[in-house]
Amino acid sequence: MPALSIGDLARRTGVPVETIRYYERMGLLPKPPRTEGNYRAYEAAHERRLAFVKRSRDLGFGLDAIRALLDLADGADRPCGEVDALARDQLAEVERKIADLTAMRAELQDMLGHCRADTVADCEIIGRLRGR
Amino acid sequence: MPALSIGDLARRTGVPVETIRYYERMGLLPKPPRTEGNYRAYEAAHERRLAFVKRSRDLGFGLDAIRALLDLADGADRPCGEVDALARDQLAEVERKIADLTAMRAELQDMLGHCRADTVADCEIIGRLRGR
DNA sequence: CTTGACCCTGTAGCGACTACAGGGTGCAGA
DNA sequence: TCTGCACCCTGTAGTCGCTACAGGGTCAAG
Ligand SMILES: [Zn+2]
Ligand SMILES: [Zn+2]
Ligand SMILES: [Zn+2]
Ligand SMILES: [Zn+2]
């Protein structure tokens, strides 16, 4: 496989070019070698690392957590307790957000269900935002 | 009721002082009169407006939407269709986020359930982040 | 040899805050 | 009266994870 340009890598991973450069600046991706014309030249290892980052982002991990996951992934014979702890923290965070959003959804649905679509003066939504 | 200081208003509404000043800069709250010593002096109307903003934020409305809601709330005899549209948009946004987070939760739970807490080399979580 | 797609760096903007730094005000206790 | 302390002021910069330029350089096809 020949070296990939940043655009090639973007197409293959679905991560925008600007975001790849941002990840490099943030230390998630190693600085790749450059061509004569100063273009980044990626290899398969870079693509695997970026795919790892993308899957982690898709699960909502923050960039700090991803840096930690990448470090852990490099040490094959270490116990995976730290990995699991990061995943559990992330799960807890996701569950907290779901709980918040579920409460918002219930209130919005209830407001909308009670509104008789009349004037603003007796609109249930405005009324509740005012505090009854 | 005497005038309230920004700290009083913060305690009464649960909105931090810095956030109240931020809302003022963003045009969500009118600039209150000042005391001799240049302190903001709030009245009950300010407290009601800030409470409206807080309840809207708690439902996840963005500041642009809240500005629109505040404008609509001021015109009592206008039909409330626009209000309802804003609420429906917000509900749709909340439902989209819940869907995303629910997918993340399922994957995180499944990963955690499959991990036999051994070494990183055969950790299910790291394995899936690598793409099997 | 020109066109156009791509690449480079560096900087600024987004949303909704949050956290200072460096000062001024106001009141209660010694 | 002094002094300490809590509070207030403005202005600016940082957070997170991008995203969008501006102003250039590179490269291959036609
Ligand atoms: Zn109801
Ligand atoms: Zn209504
Ligand atoms: Zn499974
Ligand atoms: Zn594991």
Side-chain angles (χ1 to χ4, degrees), chain A residues 28-130:
Chain A
L28 291 174
L29 304 177
K31 298 196 178 194
R34 301 294 182 114
T35 65
E36 214 172 321
N38 198 34
Y39 284 19
R40 289 171 179 81
Y42 294 102
E43 302 294 338
H46 293 101
E47 186 179 348
R48 282 193 297 275
R49 195 167 171 100
L50 180 54
F52 186 108
V53 171
K54 184 180 186 347
R55 276 186 289 267
S56 304
R57 284 296 296 132
D58 288 348
L59 291 172
F61 285 101
L63 300 195
D64 283 355
I66 297 175
R67 246 185 304 267
L69 287 168
L70 284 164
D71 279 0
L72 288 163
D74 287 346
D77 45 356
R78 282 158 68 185
C80 72
E82 283 184 68
V83 174
D84 297 30
L86 286 166
R88 268 193 301 275
D89 286 357
Q90 178 55 22
L91 177 56
E93 180 69 8
V94 166
E95 285 176 337
R96 205 188 50 68
K97 285 183 182 163
I98 289 175
D100 286 356
L101 288 163
T102 301
M104 291 181 200
R105 181 179 59 184
E107 178 68 5
L108 286 164
Q109 282 171 339
D110 200 53
M111 278 176 163
L112 281 160
H114 282 49
C115 175
R116 290 179 314 283
D118 205 348
T119 63
V120 162
D122 44 27
C123 174
E124 179 77 10
I125 296 167
I126 292 292
R128 292 205 200 177
L129 291 176
R130 283 205 182 109

Side-chain angles (χ1 to χ4, degrees), chain B residues 13-84:
Chain B
T13 58
V15 177
V17 167
E18 304 276 4
T19 304
I20 297 173
R21 286 197 282 247
Y22 171 71
Y23 288 161
E24 182 184 324
R25 277 202 307 285
M26 296 297 105
L28 290 174
L29 303 178
K31 299 197 177 192
R34 301 295 182 113
T35 65
E36 213 171 322
N38 197 34
Y39 284 20
R40 289 172 181 80
Y42 295 101
E43 302 293 339
H46 293 103
E47 186 179 349
R48 282 193 297 274
R49 196 169 172 99
L50 179 54
F52 186 107
V53 171
K54 183 179 187 347
R55 275 186 290 267
S56 303
R57 283 296 298 133
D58 288 348
L59 291 173
F61 286 100
L63 300 195
D64 283 354
I66 296 175
R67 247 185 304 265
L69 287 168
L70 284 164
D71 279 0
L72 288 163
D74 286 345
D77 45 354
R78 283 158 67 185
C80 73
E82 282 183 68
V83 174
D84 298 29

